């Protein structure tokens, strides 16, 4: 079959409708027709579909922030407006249609449409009553009659609210056909790739599966009290974000954290040592026979795991104020050591294991931990040094390999430390593949 959009650039504007989950399918259909696709998202749309997914599927930098420049410094909505062969807004919300009808350029999608000479195709999706409202209908009429936009009318069917009515996003094939018809035989507007939106290179962890644990575990003392630690989860979250941005599929197992969890990664919550152990074993150990799960390429154990818990388990009821209490603590199991043992000797296992040694004067203890647990890398940081470590946005670390090679990084933002650690992980994975 000939590709009807070969050589074309289609800018896909996505707005905050539940139907935004269909946008990856629209991207695939446009690409199957030979188009290059760039995604522009309203802030609301980013709540429904991840910019990372769209960046990965389109191979282009996603623009979701009107006041942010593209990675190469150009103004995203102007580049999109000037180089698109068509702008497709799918799904289009009632809010977006109203803003557009009135020329309000408060998001990248309206701004690009206002600035373009390309045909604009609009595929609304919303609740049936919203679609039927006189305001929506008059706004849609204005887009068609005053601006010449092509409308791909929503369809009758079951809506997200559970009711039936007109408001479902049109079928992907109908939308793609409308884009092709809108372009017709017009010449390609911007054949020069350098003037089109920038592409993103595949990251050095593309195709890798990486598990990161982050935060501090907590152990119950009684029905309301816990033993916890001061880990904020920042370093683990920075690692998960950096691995994601370098193309990896990331599973973030998060205990107690004091910063927001990232998007674009699979999040598993595990608050206690036992819950963390269960989550880690599910993610890292070979599945039961017959289950097809891709192996994990690396596990980065940043979580601060409680070393102790209340011996004999927590009190069933809230301990009363005023009583003098003695807490007897017993040691918790060594989770990373246990996983390392079950995965087998370093030379034979397929998952790289990266430990963290967070103690004062970390380095001698880190070497000992690296060897006793048979890890591939250990990251040693002195959590007692002022300005780095727990709760701080910065860190300084020594990254020590099983081969003895040491990288020193920081004091620097935790994202910089994360990328230095991932540089070592990526190099080890590459050298392993070449063995
Ligand atoms: C779960 C959920 C689903 C929604 N789906 C739609 C929808 O399909 N169509 C619509 O017009 N608005 C929908 N909304 C409301 C929009 O998200 C809201 O009007 C938002 O301001 C749209 O912003 P935007 O047009 O700038 O993307 C939905 C809201 C929620 C919470």
């Amino acid at each position: 079959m000939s590709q009807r959009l070969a050589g074309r650039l289609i800018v896909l504007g996505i707005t905050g409708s539940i139907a935004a989950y269909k946008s990856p399918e629209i991207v695939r259909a446009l690409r199957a027709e030979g188009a290059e696709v760039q995604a522009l998202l309203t802030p609301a749309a980013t709540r429904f579909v991840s910019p990372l997914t769209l960046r990965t599927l389109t191979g282009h930098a996603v623009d979701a922030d009107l006041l942010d420049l593209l990675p190469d410094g150009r103004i995203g909505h102007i580049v999109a407006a000037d180089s698109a062969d068509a702008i497709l807004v799918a799904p289009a919300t009632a809010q977006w249609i109203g803003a557009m009808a009135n020329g309000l350029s408060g998001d990248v999608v309206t701004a690009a449409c206002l600035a373009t000479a390309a045909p604009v195709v609009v595929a609304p999706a919303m609740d049936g009553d919203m679609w039927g409202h006189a305001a929506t209908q008059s706004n849609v009429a204005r887009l068609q009659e005053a601006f010449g936009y092509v409308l791909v009318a929503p369809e009758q069917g079951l809506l997200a609210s559970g009711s039936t009515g007109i408001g479902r996003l049109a079928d992907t094939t109908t939308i793609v056909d409308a884009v092709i018809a809108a372009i017709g035989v017009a010449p390609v507007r911007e054949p020069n790739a350098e003037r089109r939106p920038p592409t993103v290179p595949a990251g050095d962890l593309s195709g890798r599966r990486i598990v990161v644990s982050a935060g501090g575990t907590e152990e119950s003392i009684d029905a309301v009290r816990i033993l916890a630690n001061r880990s904020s989860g920042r370093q683990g979250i920075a690692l998960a974000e950096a691995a994601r941005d370098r193309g990896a599929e990331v599973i973030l197992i998060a205990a107690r954290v004091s910063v927001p969890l990232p998007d674009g990664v699979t999040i598993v919550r595990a608050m206690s040592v036992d819950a963390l152990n269960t989550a880690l074993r599910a993610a890292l150990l070979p599945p039961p026979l017959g289950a097809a799960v891709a192996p994990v390429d690396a596990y980065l154990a940043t979580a601060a795991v409680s070393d102790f818990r209340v011996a004999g388990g927590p009190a069933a009821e809230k301990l009363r104020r005023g009583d003098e209490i003695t807490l007897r603590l017993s040691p918790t199991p060594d989770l990373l050591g246990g996983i390392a043992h079950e995965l087998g000797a370093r030379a034979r296992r397929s998952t790289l294991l990266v430990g963290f040694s967070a103690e004062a004067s970390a380095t001698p203890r880190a070497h000992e931990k690296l060897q006793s647990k048979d890890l591939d890398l250990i990251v040693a940081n002195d959590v007692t040094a002022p300005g780095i470590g727990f709760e701080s946005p910065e860190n300084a670390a020594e990254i020590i390999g099983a081969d003895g090679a040491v990288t020193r990084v920081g004091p620097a933002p935790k994202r910089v430390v994360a990328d230095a650690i991932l540089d070592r992980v990526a190099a080890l994975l590459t050298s392993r593949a070449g063995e």
Side-chain angles (χ1 to χ4, degrees), residues 15-18 42 44 48 93-96 125-126 130:
T15 70
S17 154
I18 187 82
T42 63
F48 290 91
T93 56
Q95 151 74 29
W96 183 84
M126 65 196 72
M130 287 171 85

Side-chain angles (χ1 to χ4, degrees), residues 258-286:
S258 56
V259 288
L261 293 169
D263 65 7
V265 308
T266 301
I267 290 174
V268 178
R269 293 312 301 260
M271 306 309 282
S272 66
V273 174
D274 280 347
L276 182 59
N277 198 20
T278 305
L280 284 174
R281 298 174 75 81
L284 294 169
L285 296 184

Side-chain angles (χ1 to χ4, degrees), residues 76-414:
H77 61 278
I78 300 297
V79 172
D82 289 349
S83 55
D85 287 289
I87 299 183
L88 165 63
V89 185
T93 56
Q95 151 74 29
W96 183 84
I97 291 168
M100 191 67 233
N102 289 285
L104 303 177
S105 59
D107 62 76
V108 280
V109 187
T110 41
C113 289
L114 281 169
T116 197
V120 177
V121 177
V122 178
M126 65 196 72
D127 165 75
D129 291 329
M130 287 171 85
W131 174 247
H133 197 284
T136 310
Q137 288 302 312
S138 95
N139 288 333
V140 168
R142 182 161 164 78
L143 298 191
Q144 292 177 277
E145 289 156 21
F147 306 168
Y149 289 2
V150 175
L151 177 77
V152 187
E155 296 173 355
Q156 167 91 25
L158 186 64
L159 303 172
S161 57
S163 64
T164 305
I166 298 179
R168 269 170 76 97
L169 183 68
D171 189 68
T172 299
T173 318
T174 312
I175 294 173
V176 172
D177 286 348
V179 171
I180 292 165
I183 296 172
V185 294
V188 170
R189 287 188 69 228
E190 184 49 83
N192 184 346
E194 286 183 8
R195 296 218 192 100
R196 287 184 168 194
T199 51
V200 284
D204 60 353
L205 293 174
S206 171
R208 302 290 190 186
R209 295 187 79 225
I210 299 213
V211 175
V212 180
S213 64
T217 59
E218 55 185 41
E219 294 299 321
S220 296
I221 296 172
D222 64 12
V224 296
R225 298 181 181 90
I226 54 168
L227 280 177
N229 62 62
R230 292 171 60 198
S231 170
S232 63
R234 280 177 210 263
Q235 186 63 72
I237 288 170
L239 271 165
E241 288 173 338
R244 173 200 68 191
D245 293 348
R246 292 165 77 148
E249 178 193 337
V250 179
I251 300 172
L252 173 63
I253 303 179
R256 183 187 175 83
V257 296
S258 56
V259 288
L261 293 169
D263 65 7
V265 308
T266 301
I267 290 174
V268 178
R269 293 312 301 260
M271 306 309 282
S272 66
V273 174
D274 280 347
L276 182 59
N277 198 20
T278 305
L280 284 174
R281 298 174 75 81
L284 294 169
L285 296 184
L289 277 180
V293 177
V296 169
D297 294 288
Y299 167 48
L300 298 114
T302 60
V305 182
S306 316
D307 290 321
F308 310 100
R309 62 181 159 207
V310 176
E317 296 194 342
K318 185 181 170 204
L319 297 170
R320 284 211 334 268
R321 180 192 175 90
D323 296 343
E324 187 177 299
I325 291 165
T326 303
L327 280 181
R328 202 162 57 79
L329 302 179
S330 58
T332 53
D334 170 10
L335 303 193
L336 181 57
I339 297 273
H341 179 71
E342 290 204 39
L343 285 176
R346 186 163 45 83
R348 290 195 304 279
R349 66 184 178 230
S350 59
T351 304
L352 291 184
L353 294 180
V354 183
F356 287 74
S357 183
E359 343 213 352
S361 57
T363 310
R365 171 95 177 93
H367 275 285
E368 184 195 313
K369 210 165 161 180
L370 179 80
Q371 274 166 14
S372 67
K373 296 189 206 237
D374 198 19
L375 305 178
D376 296 271
L377 288 173
I378 193 147
V379 181
N381 58 330
D382 177 356
V383 287
T384 59
I388 60 166
F390 282 172
E391 293 175 341
S392 155
E394 297 218 328
N395 199 0
E398 288 191 1
I399 309 162
I400 307 160
D403 58 1
V406 178
T407 308
R408 287 185 182 82
V409 55
K414 285 184 172 169

